[in-house]
Amino acid sequence: MKTLRFYYVALAILSGTLILFGLTGSSIPSASACLKPSLAKIWVNSDVKEKDLIRLKIDYNCGEKPIKSYDPLSASLWIVRGFMKCGRAECLWGRAKGTMYNSNEMHVTFSSFSVVRDLKIFIESGLLRVEVQNNFRDTRRKPTKQSFYLHPEL
């Protein structure tokens, strides 16, 4: 009987402490918004020819999107989509993980059935300089290099 009374007293003290602690709100930090870097936006090439890079969409994932087990790319910090000019339309290179090497250089690799595109992206005074190395899977085709300047989409 004495232990049962002690149990109820301890439970009352514990629940009162939890209620008071919860009312002050000092234990739970408030959620802070994610500050996206200036690189995280849509970049476009205004001087486009056939088979040139026309657009890059760079997303910065700071935890606001859920990680999906069927999509390993969803856990990446930087996700890049690349588009090239195909006739009158745009062709998607795909989605790829971007890796920052210092504060102004990112590397991205787009891989398809016919070509592996290695991109080096440099931030230069408000523009992106993108160097594209195309390595074709058909060994008879020689690798090609291209360089583009992209500006933020308006």
Side-chain angles (χ1 to χ4, degrees):
M1 184 79 170
K2 203 174 196 181
T3 57
L4 190 59
R5 188 178 312 156
F6 177 73
Y7 172 75
Y8 286 124
V9 169
L11 187 62
I13 292 171
L14 180 63
S15 62
T17 305
L18 288 175
I19 289 171
L20 285 176
F21 196 63
L23 290 176
T24 60
S26 62
S27 67
I28 301 172
S30 62
S32 62
C34 171
L35 298 176
K36 297 198 180 219
S38 61
L39 183 63
K41 60 179 82 168
I42 298 174
W43 298 85
V44 294
N45 182 359
S46 56
D47 183 30
V48 182
K49 298 177 188 85
E50 187 75 22
K51 307 239 185 215
D52 280 356
L53 175 65
I54 193 168
R55 187 166 41 114
L56 282 179
K57 182 179 180 201
I58 302 175
D59 290 322
Y60 182 75
N61 182 10
C62 51
E64 70 266 4
K65 295 179 183 172
I67 296 173
K68 301 174 180 113
S69 60
Y70 59 85
D71 183 16
L73 210 56
S74 66
S76 300
L77 186 61
W78 293 96
I79 300 172
V80 181
R81 286 187 176 104
F83 300 85
M84 81 173 185
K85 182 168 172 122
C86 302
R88 289 190 244 166
E90 291 181 3
C91 296
L92 177 66
W93 282 351
R95 292 171 54 226
K97 176 183 177 180
T99 306
M100 290 297 285
Y101 282 97
N102 52 41
S103 61
N104 66 343
E105 182 179 350
M106 178 185 282
H107 291 201
V108 182
T109 301
F110 292 102
S111 182
S112 70
F113 67 93
S114 62
V115 65
V116 176
R117 291 181 174 90
D118 292 314
L119 276 65
K120 289 183 182 176
I121 302 170
F122 302 95
I123 303 167
E124 294 180 354
S125 63
L127 296 175
L128 288 186
R129 179 171 52 94
V130 182
E131 295 177 357
V132 181
Q133 172 79 34
N134 295 308
N135 298 311
F136 298 98
R137 296 193 190 269
D138 181 0
T139 55
R140 295 173 290 183
R141 293 183 71 182
K142 295 192 185 301
T144 61
K145 252 188 174 176
Q146 298 172 299
S147 186
F148 305 100
Y149 279 94
L150 282 70
H151 59 86
E153 184 179 61
L154 301 176

